Amino acid sequence: MYSLVTSRCINVFKPSFKFWPLLNYEYGKNISSKYLLRKVHKFSSADPTPAASFRLAIVGSGPAGFYTAYHMLKEHPSSLVDMYEALPIPFGLVRYGVAPDHPEVKNVQNRFDEVARDSRFTFIGNVKFSKELHIADLKSHYDAIVLSYGASQDKPLNIKNEHDSICNVFSARAFVGWYNGLPQHRDLRPDLTYSDSAIIIGQGNVALDIARILLTDVDELSKTDITEYALECLRKSRIRNVMLIGRRGPLQVSFTAKELREMMHLPNTRFLTDTELVKTELSANAELISQNRPLKRLMQILESGTSNTIGEKSWSLKFLRSPAEFITRDTSDPSRAKFIKAVKFHVNKLEGPPDNRIAVSTGIMEEIETSLVFKSVGYKSTPVEGVPFDEQKGLVPNVKGKVLDKNGNELPGFYVSGWLKRGPQGVISTTMYDAFETAEIIVSDIQQNKPMLSDTTDNYPKRGAEAIIPMLHERGIRTVSYDDWKKIEEKEFEVGRQKHKPREKYSRIEDVLGILDK
């Protein structure tokens, strides 16, 4: 789901050297001052006195959470940071969202490991926020709370039969979680044997990731940390043709140049698209394209890819189509009941100015047959009790990470970071910058002596995890520490070595916890 940080993303941080230490060396290979990227900030191991400590709870252990923790510990050394995670395993989308054939992106886990090893940091895993742990539990034991639990639900298509549990129709989030070992999607069971075609509704980086996984040689994937059960399924796959369908035109695709270039160079795979539409749109919007360097680079790759017509497999981009209905097969086989047969689409046309084109239906319908469908149109966050939430935007209302109440006033002690703050978009570097911004707002509020949690009702030092962990144990919840995670990880490395892979992920909670019982 996340993409490798590109040089243009890193350039955002050039004016501020303090942002560079947490960028991995691989991320900075297009920057001349590589030496600076190798200098990783070392945290102080000295424990601050309890009276001087600022207790911060972070909910969510993905990139947004870890980057916020990093910057707080760096910029406010007397901070004590406790991070709560629903799974026994940290790192969120870095572990479960990044494609297995992009290991360079996952190297950022090494930086997060340094954060977690700091004496001022505590990881508390296997705790389901808003079910086993609530805002009310945290408020009296912390000075502030940062919510960074991301976007865990899919945006709906709102089309006919979408909610009828049709076989072999999956969200992109679920499929990515499946091949990456996310426990909640361990038993997804996609059928890749029914025919040779698949449709992906959406034209973003996640859609390209799925297409690439479906079309990449399994022997190559077997060298990655993709799960073994996914490899077994992919070895039996008949999928040879993958179509990515979008409602607008070539200029409105959401993927990045790096991801597109990688797809264009996929071995034994040809690229198909509406070449005439591409040429027409590029010609009609030449001025707009020339003024936008990233778009220009993307369109150059797309245009050059139209000549790639050699390969036994294929992937294609089909434009100006909006899904209208899922159509199921008529079958006497009970196991194939409600199995996907085709998707019906509205054929669109583009209207509006060049920089704000919208798709409008022409009234023409088109039916495209397939045996496998992925919905890749984005994600949305969910609200938790006790925190304001904008249902329409799908995020917590905030200004630079400071949570606002329903009247637009600052809510003392409440902050937000990552997708919950800005919406589900951007690459890892975007999340880093976003998290640093939130941390700086917290530090600024501390320096200005702004009100924090419970400031008006008590003045005693907050105890943080020292109070919360015993409370969770009394509720029968088994917490997982960072040392516990390292034991689990070492077992993953051990099993991976046996299979000649970087690691073999454990994808069932009981198996993970079982390692700790041995």
Side-chain angles (χ1 to χ4, degrees), residues 305-488:
T306 57
S307 62
N308 180 14
T309 58
I310 300 174
E312 297 177 358
K313 303 177 184 179
S314 73
W315 76 281
S316 58
L317 291 174
K318 196 172 186 65
F319 304 107
L320 301 177
R321 302 291 188 278
S322 295
E325 179 183 357
F326 289 138
I327 300 171
T328 56
R329 297 180 184 277
D330 295 325
T331 176
S332 58
D333 183 352
S335 66
R336 298 289 182 180
K338 288 194 173 181
F339 200 90
I340 188 69
K341 174 188 177 183
V343 183
K344 184 178 289 187
F345 290 90
H346 295 282
V347 178
N348 300 328
K349 61 180 179 180
L350 292 177
E351 294 184 353
D355 59 345
N356 188 29
R357 306 281 270 167
I358 61 172
V360 178
S361 176
T362 62
I364 300 171
M365 304 297 292
E366 180 180 27
E367 194 172 302
I368 303 177
E369 290 198 7
T370 186
S371 66
L372 181 62
V373 175
F374 299 102
K375 300 179 290 181
S376 185
V377 293
Y379 315 99
K380 63 179 182 178
S381 299
T382 56
V384 296
E385 185 177 357
V387 180
F389 191 78
D390 187 325
E391 291 284 356
Q392 184 175 0
K393 295 181 179 179
L395 47 76
V396 172
N398 70 93
V399 174
K400 295 184 177 180
K402 179 67 176 179
V403 175
L404 305 178
D405 64 20
K406 62 181 180 180
N407 297 317
N409 301 315
E410 293 185 357
L411 199 60
F414 281 94
Y415 302 87
V416 66
S417 181
W419 284 3
L420 191 62
K421 170 185 173 181
R422 70 178 189 276
Q425 57 187 339
V427 294
I428 288 182
S429 66
T430 316
T431 298
M432 182 186 73
Y433 184 86
D434 168 272
F436 288 172
E437 179 184 64
T438 294
E440 288 177 352
I441 287 292
I442 300 173
V443 172
S444 175
D445 285 356
I446 295 170
Q447 293 170 343
Q448 296 178 56
N449 292 315
K450 285 192 175 183
M452 294 290 174
L453 296 174
S454 306
D455 274 0
T456 57
T457 58
D458 61 72
N459 293 308
Y460 61 83
K462 308 300 189 295
R463 296 179 59 216
E466 296 169 15
I468 296 295
I469 292 176
M471 178 194 304
L472 293 170
H473 291 171
E474 288 176 4
R475 296 174 180 176
I477 299 163
R478 179 175 184 173
T479 59
V480 173
S481 69
Y482 199 78
D483 284 340
D484 290 335
W485 152 241
K486 296 307 287 185
K487 294 176 184 176
I488 296 163

Side-chain angles (χ1 to χ4, degrees), residues 73-90:
L73 295 172
K74 178 176 179 289
E75 298 299 321
H76 195 264
S78 62
S79 297
L80 296 179
V81 178
D82 300 332
M83 180 175 286
Y84 294 91
E85 167 58 45
L87 294 172
I89 295 171

Side-chain angles (χ1 to χ4, degrees), residues 175-194:
F175 188 69
V176 170
W178 172 77
Y179 63 65
N180 273 326
L182 184 61
Q184 70 189 81
H185 298 306
R186 170 64 175 82
D187 298 316
L188 197 69
R189 305 189 190 286
D191 186 339
L192 310 183
T193 66
Y194 197 87

Side-chain angles (χ1 to χ4, degrees), residues 10-272:
I10 295 176
N11 285 339
V12 173
F13 308 112
K14 279 188 175 181
S16 181
F17 290 174
K18 66 183 179 180
F19 286 172
W20 287 20
L22 238 85
L23 285 171
N24 199 306
Y25 172 75
E26 285 84 351
Y27 296 169
K29 58 189 175 184
N30 294 322
I31 295 179
S32 58
S33 301
K34 293 178 181 177
Y35 169 74
L36 288 174
L37 293 180
R38 292 190 182 102
K39 292 180 64 179
V40 179
H41 175 77
K42 299 297 181 183
F43 298 119
S44 167
S45 60
D47 290 320
T49 59
S53 300
F54 181 83
R55 290 277 189 174
L56 177 66
I58 296 179
V59 179
S61 70
F66 265 101
Y67 278 129
T68 303
Y70 164 80
H71 209 59
M72 279 299 301
L73 295 172
K74 178 176 179 289
E75 298 299 321
H76 195 264
S78 62
S79 297
L80 296 179
V81 178
D82 300 332
M83 180 175 286
Y84 294 91
E85 167 58 45
L87 294 172
I89 295 171
F91 307 137
L93 285 181
V94 173
R95 177 179 168 96
Y96 296 116
V98 174
D101 56 345
H102 286 171
E104 70 281 2
V105 184
K106 299 184 184 186
N107 285 341
V108 75
Q109 291 182 20
N110 299 330
R111 302 296 179 251
F112 296 162
D113 190 68
E114 294 178 9
V115 175
R117 289 302 190 182
D118 188 86
S119 61
R120 298 164 293 166
F121 179 94
T122 303
F123 174 77
I124 308 103
N126 200 40
V127 179
K128 297 176 179 62
F129 186 65
S130 80
K131 293 183 179 179
E132 299 170 337
L133 181 66
H134 304 274
I135 284 290
D137 296 324
L138 298 176
K139 285 179 68 174
S140 60
H141 296 293
Y142 288 94
D143 294 296
I145 300 170
V146 175
L147 300 174
S148 62
Y149 57 80
S152 60
Q153 289 191 353
D154 304 294
K155 287 184 178 179
L157 295 173
N158 295 319
I159 66 173
K160 187 176 180 180
N161 299 329
E162 180 180 8
H163 303 295
D164 284 356
S165 300
I166 299 174
C167 296
N168 248 26
V169 175
F170 306 103
S171 74
R173 180 179 59 87
F175 188 69
V176 170
W178 172 77
Y179 63 65
N180 273 326
L182 184 61
Q184 70 189 81
H185 298 306
R186 170 64 175 82
D187 298 316
L188 197 69
R189 305 189 190 286
D191 186 339
L192 310 183
T193 66
Y194 197 87
S195 76
D196 65 354
S197 70
I199 284 177
I200 304 174
I201 300 172
Q203 293 180 337
N205 280 346
V206 178
L208 287 183
D209 281 348
I210 291 174
R212 197 176 63 256
I213 293 298
L214 290 172
L215 296 172
T216 296
D217 186 274
V218 179
D219 289 339
E220 289 300 314
L221 289 177
S222 67
K223 302 172 186 176
T224 73
D225 68 355
I226 192 171
T227 56
E228 199 64 25
Y229 62 79
L231 280 175
E232 292 175 8
C233 184
L234 288 165
R235 284 192 180 97
K236 302 173 185 175
S237 173
R238 292 179 54 203
I239 301 298
R240 295 292 181 271
N241 308 290
V242 181
M243 182 182 296
L244 283 69
I245 302 179
R247 62 187 175 88
R248 294 192 291 174
L251 272 67
Q252 289 80 39
V253 295
S254 299
F255 41 73
T256 59
K258 176 193 175 295
E259 295 275 345
L260 179 59
R261 186 181 296 109
E262 189 174 10
M263 280 298 295
M264 292 299 186
H265 291 91
L266 203 60
N268 195 32
T269 306
R270 64 190 186 278
F271 171 62
L272 306 172

